[in-house]
Amino acid sequence: MSAPTEVEVGRAIGARVERKEDQKLLQGQAEWVDNMHVPGMVYLGIVRSPYAHARITKVDVTPALAHADVVGAWSGADIADEWQGSLPCAWLPTEDTNAPEHKPVAVDKARYAGDAVAVIAATSRGAAEDAAELVEVEYEPLPVVVDPEAALADGAPLVHEEFGTNRCYTWTLEEGEIDRLFAEADVTVSERYRQNRLIPNAIEPRAVFVTAIPANGEFTLWSTTQVPHIARVTLSGVTGIPEAKLRVIAPDVGGGFGSKLNVYAEEALALAVARMLGRPVKWTETRSEGYLSTIHGRDQVQEIELAATSEGKILAVRTKLTASMGAYLQLVTPGIPLLGAWLYAGCYDVQGYSFECTGVFTNTVPTDAYRGAGRPEATYAIERAVDALARKLGMDPVEIRRLNFIREFPAAIKAGLTIDSGDYDASLDVALEQAGYESVRAEQRARRTAGDPKRLGIGLSTYVEMCGLAPSNILGAIRYSGGGWEAATIRCLPTGTVQVLTGSTPHGQGHETSWSQIVSDRLGYEIDEVEVLHGDTAVVPLGMDTYGSRSLAVGGVALYYAADRIAEKGKKIAAHLMEVDEAQVDHVRGTFHGPETSITLKEVAFAAWTAHNLPDGVQPGLEETYVYDPPNFSWPAGAHVAIVEVDTETGAVELLRYIAVDDVGTIVNPIIVEGQIHGGLAQGVAQALYEEAIYDEDGNLLTGNMVSYLVPSAAEFPRWELHHTETPSPTNPMGVKGVGETGAIASPPAVMNAIVDALAEDGITDLDMPATPERVWRALEEARR
Amino acid sequence: MIPAPFDYEVAESVDNAIELLGTREETKVLAGGHSLLPLLRLRLTRPSLLVDVGRLDLSYVRDAGDSIAIGALTRHHDVATAPLLQEHNPLMSFAAGLIGDPQVRHRGTIGGSLAHGDPASDLPAVVLALDGEIDIAGPNGVRTVRAAEFFRGVFETAVGPQELVTEVRVPKLIGDHVWSYLKFRHRAQDWATVGVAAVARRSNGGVADAAIALVNMGATPLRAGAAEAAWIAGAADPGVEADAKTEPPSDTNGSADYRRHLARVLVRRAVEEAEAR
């Protein structure tokens, strides 16, 4: 790696630049997929199975075809010839992973409530919905399994009979003398946690729009996707449309949180129907349809054991996960729990590490990436288990953390990876000071002494996570099908503005602003002089898209290096124009200084465009691309403190204060970082206190809309108290780390530890998420018995 | 998310509305739409005709002597902020201010809320506790029904298929009244898991005319008679029997057992809060 100049923090990088994207969003001028209309367009209506598990004995679409506004209707069998392959799963973690066929429309069997069984094309959306009701489907209901542990039991109904089991895979990782460490430990704790199943709720539901040029066999797919580049590669495989004839565009996309890091049946269906009819096709999910057709998150049973000395030094951690895949494997379903595989010892130094995960098929909506993807689960388990250990030893949760922190960096952790940098004490110091830890403890004791039925609790979460996905060679080693690189192109236009092409596709993160700040820092352009293009495979052909807090730490670094290349070429031209030796020229933020005169990058860009007077061997134009493959993940960390009040009469939990101290390396835009943390905290606290997808034993989703699936609003939260420590990452020249998921990763254990802290003296240490009033009340009732 | 096909008529007058309601078997009145539209969009209800009463002149809060008259189309926000109610019946305005969120309160109407007959709604229990009166217009003119006779079952009220709620009257709380409305819900904009409306008049160091009504503890809003008697008798904890003769539902927001427990706690707290007022 070259030794680039460091960024200047506080000028463009680090400045509170307001988001360039917001004006058009706030003024209703954004380009949403569902707003697209062209003549001749048809709308898809999808008939979905009301049964979680049923043989499909008959599908009759003729009554739907009789509807005046219907132009086509197909059962799964009718449309089967359109598919060249299954919907993609890019991560089969073991050689013997059971990977079922996954057709966009089910043919013989429906495997979850919501599985598509027929599709309608009609000239209006209303007609598509009306006609979907007319399709006659006969089902033969089969026994259902929704719980991942029950699915592994002998005699459980089989989601995919061909495997003879519901086990999808078992993946293990073991380092150190685990058995000896546990046998010799003074003390062990053994905990069991449930990761509640969550339903992602992006503000924009999913939508798909396809236009075709039948004469050329060319298709353009507009999709509310995080991953247009991955969609292009994989949908080509599903539909047989050559990659070169398929253009995928992600216009403005209203959030994803992982739910749009996927390749869905409806995208393939819209392409197939457009190909069959030769007409434009649109489909937009409703919120309640999305709950049955867009991936869910989490849903794991976690067993974690710690071995420790009587002083509280943790020796080893042993984890066993049973993770629900749902009924099929979506894009990265099996790999999601494994993204936490290295993090079950958290930020603590251990000698032994054992991890085992079994993926299990159930008759539920497939699970996949949801903000944090594997790392919230790991952080939750270790942070709660450390508190359990502290309780067992009569230690303060702060003390036990301090005793076990990793302190030397880069840190080769027992699980096998290397943490780039960190200072866990620094974050914890700030968090405790801001929380007023000792005074909260004093009030907690005072309330208890006074017999106040409203208990106070304070909970910690000292987390580290790995993001910035990812070094391609590591992805290959764990059997992920793609790479983890990212591409950036800078094109200096002749009239003084500049274009950036980024393969990292934003869906609300504000790339246009942050990327402009980086270009401004490196090349001296004003923020408004930078145009950032993204999300269209015809404009930006090379990209790996946006997920896993990778944009800045991978795509942003690619941009940094592309700027270096611009400066390098620019310097050659500038030296030539100034008639000095290249070694005599210094580049500083868009100005090339020679011994006597200087010339700006904009002037150089114009000279490169006219090409009247270029040095020998230098091509016209000033455009450079850099494809960056990160040498390591980035490892943000921090200390979060939750302070809760628990009403022991009603079970209600109120989050009184939340203090988040995050260390995400160099901050490019503090406003955007704060926004990311706010949203992440909201989603993490939602997991701890509100959200849970509940299936009944027949596989009906009981929480099928926003009345019963409790997405909290701002009214449920305190004012977030954000603070930062800054430990730059040494693995990239900007020192940046990811920030998109930290809030969702750190906050569930902080909140749950606070509730248990409030109630431990009442005898409650075993409490699952979400800590709803009734669940807390029941735990109290049980403890009172 | 698109309703099944239906016809739509705008009523020009109350009489016209009644007439339109008589033209079909399956008709629905559209007022604020905040209960009806979600049901339509989920296709859980499929009327052949919607009669939009939104343009009728039924949005008002007036002094009616011993009572305050509230037009059926008065929005929850206007009930919550009407000075006449804040002065003469603060229980009513306070409870209306807790409905849903600001958007809901600016669309939903008091007449619609009562006629919809959802036992989880706030205003039915409040009007029951206040012993309010409801005017119902029909083909034979206007009749007045007391709140105690108005609510019949889940989504069932005294309003017939060809009838329309036109006005609600609640008494002025004259003298030394105490009141409380406690709404236990998980999120701010949720329906009550359980709600308690309590009102009484101070008398001889205790209270008289105590009324306690419960939200979401049965098929209709319910008076908690045993708790009312306990309050009047000056019991240390008037909530002990608050769930007597209730049949609370079980759903993902709370089991019946939990709702019974909540009713007991909330009634005690409501009485405490009322007396401390």
Side-chain angles (χ1 to χ4, degrees):
Chain A
M1 197 186 296
S2 59
T5 325
E6 284 191 7
V7 293
E8 181 184 332
V9 172
R11 187 182 157 277
I13 297 216
R16 300 184 70 87
V17 177
E18 287 188 9
R19 292 182 8 137
K20 296 169 81 169
E21 293 89 341
D22 288 346
Q23 286 292 337
K24 74 170 176 185
L25 293 172
L26 294 171
Q27 295 183 30
Q29 294 163 18
E31 190 182 31
W32 307 114
V33 174
D34 188 49
N35 287 344
M36 294 176 181
H37 290 269
V38 294
M41 185 169 79
V42 297
Y43 296 78
L44 297 187
I46 296 172
V47 181
R48 299 185 182 279
S49 170
Y51 294 101
H53 198 193
R55 221 163 283 295
I56 301 164
T57 54
K58 185 185 145 198
V59 180
D60 184 2
V61 298
T62 47
L65 283 169
H67 189 292
D69 298 330
V70 168
V71 296
W74 303 267
S75 68
D78 296 338
I79 207 171
D81 286 347
E82 292 294 314
W83 316 127
Q84 182 169 297
S86 275
L87 289 168
C89 178
W91 195 346
L92 305 179
T94 62
E95 273 183 29
D96 63 348
T97 297
N98 287 320
E101 180 179 73
H102 186 190
K103 290 274 167 59
V105 184
V107 176
D108 301 320
K109 204 167 99 158
R111 293 182 171 85
Y112 64 95
D115 212 352
V117 297
V119 58
I120 305 286
T123 54
S124 75
R125 192 171 173 186
E129 290 194 24
D130 289 345
E133 291 186 338
L134 301 174
V135 175
E136 291 171 7
V137 187
E138 286 177 12
Y139 298 96
E140 182 185 309
L142 297 167
V144 169
V145 64
V146 297
D147 177 81
E149 289 185 315
L152 287 175
D154 288 341
L158 293 177
V159 180
H160 300 278
E161 286 96 341
E162 64 270 31
F163 303 136
T165 173
N166 288 319
R167 197 181 66 86
C168 174
Y169 70 90
T170 298
W171 190 92
T172 58
L173 170 66
E174 186 158 321
E175 298 291 343
E177 297 175 69
I178 283 288
D179 292 340
R180 182 184 63 80
L181 290 166
F182 269 90
E184 292 176 11
D186 298 330
V187 58
T188 62
V189 293
S190 177
E191 296 278 298
R192 180 186 158 90
Y193 306 122
R194 180 81 210 216
Q195 282 288 328
N196 37 328
R197 178 179 274 252
L198 302 178
I199 300 178
N201 278 281
I203 197 164
E204 182 200 23
R206 281 195 299 125
V208 176
F209 175 60
V210 171
T211 60
I213 304 178
N216 296 350
E218 290 177 3
F219 297 85
T220 300
L221 164 69
W222 279 263
S223 181
T224 56
T225 183
Q226 299 174 221
V227 291
H229 297 92
I230 293 173
R232 184 188 192 212
V233 171
T234 54
L235 285 167
S236 169
V238 177
T239 60
I241 297 168
E243 196 182 334
K245 302 234 176 201
L246 178 59
R247 175 182 179 188
V248 180
I249 301 174
D252 290 308
V253 177
F257 312 114
S259 72
K260 294 171 183 170
L261 158 54
N262 229 303
V263 178
Y264 283 103
E266 295 81 4
E267 291 170 316
L269 267 174
L271 285 166
V273 171
R275 180 164 57 187
M276 289 189 293
L277 299 179
R279 293 175 72 161
V281 174
K282 187 154 90 176
W283 173 80
T284 302
E285 72 179 5
T286 65
R287 186 68 63 178
S288 42
E289 184 180 20
Y291 278 21
L292 297 174
S293 65
T294 299
I295 61 100
H296 292 177
R298 318 285 192 257
D299 199 357
Q300 299 178 359
V301 177
Q302 308 179 293
E303 292 168 284
I304 182 168
E305 296 170 276
L306 303 183
T309 67
S310 54
E311 289 79 36
K313 181 76 195 71
I314 304 166
L315 303 171
V317 55
R318 181 158 58 197
T319 309
K320 189 172 168 233
L321 304 184
T322 307
S324 178
M325 307 285 97
Y328 297 99
L329 304 182
Q330 283 280 350
L331 189 64
V332 278
T333 300
I336 295 306
L338 308 183
L339 285 171
W342 294 267
L343 290 175
Y344 278 84
C347 52
Y348 313 113
D349 181 30
V350 300
Q351 300 166 34
Y353 190 87
S354 170
F355 173 89
E356 177 187 305
C357 175
T358 297
V360 184
F361 293 109
T362 58
N363 293 116
T364 60
V365 170
T367 59
D368 208 310
Y370 180 56
R371 203 169 195 168
R375 292 149 289 153
E377 296 93 315
T379 303
Y380 181 74
I382 182 62
E383 286 303 292
R384 282 204 64 180
V386 164
D387 265 29
L389 178 63
R391 269 193 306 278
K392 191 158 186 174
L393 292 168
M395 292 173 73
D396 188 278
V398 173
E399 190 188 353
I400 198 159
R401 284 173 168 79
R402 296 251 197 231
L403 188 67
N404 287 286
F405 275 158
I406 295 169
R407 289 201 173 81
E408 288 180 20
F409 298 92
I413 57 173
K414 200 68 196 173
L417 296 175
T418 299
I419 299 178
D420 53 358
S421 65
D423 185 345
Y424 305 148
D425 291 287
S427 303
L428 183 56
D429 290 343
V430 175
L432 295 175
E433 189 195 333
Q434 292 296 331
Y437 188 74
E438 291 306 328
S439 65
V440 177
R441 286 267 175 243
E443 190 191 336
Q444 180 182 42
R445 283 190 298 272
R447 284 197 190 196
R448 206 163 262 290
T449 309
D452 190 334
K454 292 191 175 173
R455 312 273 195 261
L456 201 62
I458 183 164
L460 295 179
S461 171
T462 49
Y463 75 98
V464 61
E465 65 118 337
M466 46 183 270
C467 63
L469 306 180
S472 297
N473 60 346
I474 295 183
L475 292 181
I478 55 178
R479 299 177 54 87
Y480 177 70
S481 306
W485 47 263
E486 193 50 86
T489 298
I490 298 176
R491 183 181 293 152
C492 298
L493 301 176
T495 56
T497 58
V498 60
Q499 278 183 328
V500 169
L501 279 58
T502 177
S504 173
T505 301
H507 43 285
Q509 292 87 350
H511 288 37
E512 293 175 24
T513 308
S514 305
W515 274 212
S516 299
Q517 290 176 261
I518 293 171
V519 171
S520 178
D521 176 86
R522 305 312 299 154
L523 299 177
Y525 285 97
E526 297 299 320
I527 302 284
D528 287 340
E529 290 172 342
V530 187
E531 178 188 24
V532 181
L533 302 176
H534 52 75
D536 181 342
T537 59
V539 175
V540 187
L542 205 55
M544 273 296 175
D545 305 319
T546 292
Y547 43 85
S549 305
R550 70 188 305 271
S551 289
L552 181 59
V554 189
V557 176
L559 183 59
Y560 177 98
Y561 283 125
D564 273 0
R565 288 191 168 170
I566 290 284
E568 215 172 291
K569 179 172 179 181
K571 187 190 272 191
K572 279 196 181 74
I573 298 171
H576 180 76
L577 293 173
M578 290 188 285
E579 299 179 344
V580 299
D581 191 77
E582 201 184 324
Q584 295 174 285
V585 178
D586 272 339
H587 170 243
V588 181
R589 258 172 265 292
T591 305
F592 297 96
H593 299 279
E596 287 166 11
T597 55
S598 63
I599 184 168
T600 67
L601 177 61
K602 291 175 181 176
E603 290 168 311
V604 168
F606 188 76
W609 181 70
T610 62
H612 295 164
N613 181 20
L614 293 178
D616 288 345
V618 171
Q619 293 175 16
L622 191 52
E623 169 174 341
E624 294 290 341
T625 293
Y626 196 96
V627 183
Y628 174 68
D629 199 345
N632 191 357
F633 295 89
S634 86
W635 300 77
H640 288 206
V641 177
I643 301 171
V644 302
E645 182 177 86
V646 184
D647 183 337
T648 53
E649 290 186 322
T650 63
V653 175
E654 187 183 353
L655 183 58
L656 299 177
R657 286 181 66 196
Y658 196 97
I659 299 100
V661 184
D662 294 292
D663 189 336
V664 297
T666 306
I667 291 174
V668 172
N669 186 325
I671 299 176
I672 288 177
V673 165
E674 287 160 13
Q676 284 283 6
I677 296 171
H678 284 181
L681 293 177
Q683 280 172 310
V685 173
Q687 177 173 19
L689 295 178
Y690 297 97
E691 296 185 19
E692 181 175 28
I694 304 170
Y695 280 99
D696 70 12
E697 58 187 17
D698 295 324
N700 300 306
L701 183 63
L702 298 181
T703 52
N705 57 46
M706 294 184 101
V707 173
S708 46
Y709 185 80
L710 306 181
V711 178
S713 72
E716 276 69 58
F717 300 126
R719 177 166 291 276
W720 308 117
E721 301 174 45
L722 306 191
H723 304 275
H724 296 283
T725 55
E726 203 165 302
T727 314
S729 172
T731 58
N732 68 70
M734 291 196 289
V736 296
K737 300 184 176 186
V739 66
E741 298 158 295
T742 57
I745 289 167
S747 56
V751 172
M752 293 304 291
N753 280 341
I755 297 170
V756 171
D757 182 65
L759 298 177
E761 283 189 39
D762 295 287
I764 291 166
T765 54
D766 180 16
L767 188 68
D768 274 331
M769 299 186 288
T772 60
E774 176 158 8
R775 183 168 277 150
V776 172
W777 172 72
R778 287 202 177 278
L780 282 159
E781 285 291 287
E782 223 162 86
R784 283 172 195 134
R785 271 191 209 118
Chain B
M1 264 302 137
I2 292 179
F6 58 84
D7 290 330
Y8 170 88
E9 297 277 1
V10 176
E12 306 290 336
S13 64
V14 170
D15 287 346
N16 180 222
I18 304 300
E19 190 185 319
L20 288 167
L21 287 169
T23 58
R24 305 280 181 91
E25 283 292 312
E26 293 293 324
T27 55
K28 283 275 180 195
V29 174
L30 174 64
H34 266 52
S35 300
L36 181 58
L37 288 185
L39 296 175
L40 285 174
R41 286 160 65 91
L42 293 166
R43 301 192 170 202
L44 292 173
T45 182
R46 295 168 181 248
S48 56
L49 174 66
L50 279 196
V51 178
D52 187 343
V53 298
R55 294 181 205 176
L56 304 185
D57 187 19
L58 291 174
S59 177
Y60 54 83
V61 177
R62 289 179 193 147
D63 191 323
D66 293 341
S67 64
I68 303 293
I70 308 167
L73 289 176
T74 310
R75 313 276 179 194
H76 302 320
H77 170 80
D78 297 327
V79 173
T81 54
L84 271 176
L85 283 168
Q86 286 176 339
E87 184 186 347
H88 296 293
N89 198 318
L91 168 57
M92 191 74 193
S93 49
F94 177 80
L98 293 184
I99 297 170
D101 55 34
Q103 285 167 303
V104 170
R105 292 196 290 274
H106 278 85
R107 290 294 306 166
T109 65
I110 186 170
S113 176
L114 298 187
H116 186 53
D118 184 345
S121 292
D122 301 279
L123 294 183
V126 173
V127 173
L128 179 67
L130 290 168
D131 197 16
E133 294 178 337
I134 296 120
D135 283 352
I136 304 171
N140 303 317
V142 175
R143 64 197 178 100
T144 298
V145 176
R146 292 180 55 182
E149 278 85 47
F150 184 85
F151 302 102
R152 303 280 170 83
V154 180
F155 304 131
E156 271 183 56
T157 66
V159 183
Q162 207 186 336
E163 289 187 317
L164 183 71
V165 172
T166 53
E167 185 177 285
V168 180
R169 285 182 299 281
V170 291
K172 289 181 181 173
L173 299 178
I174 299 160
D176 194 4
H177 273 80
V178 298
W179 61 272
S180 168
Y181 184 70
L182 295 184
K183 178 177 185 177
F184 188 90
R185 75 274 205 213
H186 202 13
R187 297 177 300 180
Q189 81 268 30
D190 282 332
W191 278 279
T193 310
V194 173
V196 173
V199 58
R201 184 168 49 81
R202 282 193 216 276
S203 166
N204 299 326
V207 298
D209 302 334
I212 298 174
L214 305 174
V215 179
N216 219 0
M217 286 296 289
T220 63
L222 297 171
R223 288 282 289 262
E228 290 169 353
W231 189 7
I232 291 165
D237 179 358
V240 172
E241 289 185 77
D243 62 318
K245 297 183 180 170
T246 63
E247 286 184 45
S250 280
D251 55 38
T252 52
N253 279 324
S255 65
D257 282 352
Y258 179 57
R259 285 196 161 93
R260 287 179 180 279
H261 168 78
L262 277 182
R264 296 192 290 264
V265 173
L266 295 178
V267 164
R268 190 200 77 224
R269 289 184 178 179
V271 168
E272 284 169 3
E273 182 179 272
E275 292 193 340
R277 212 176 276 279

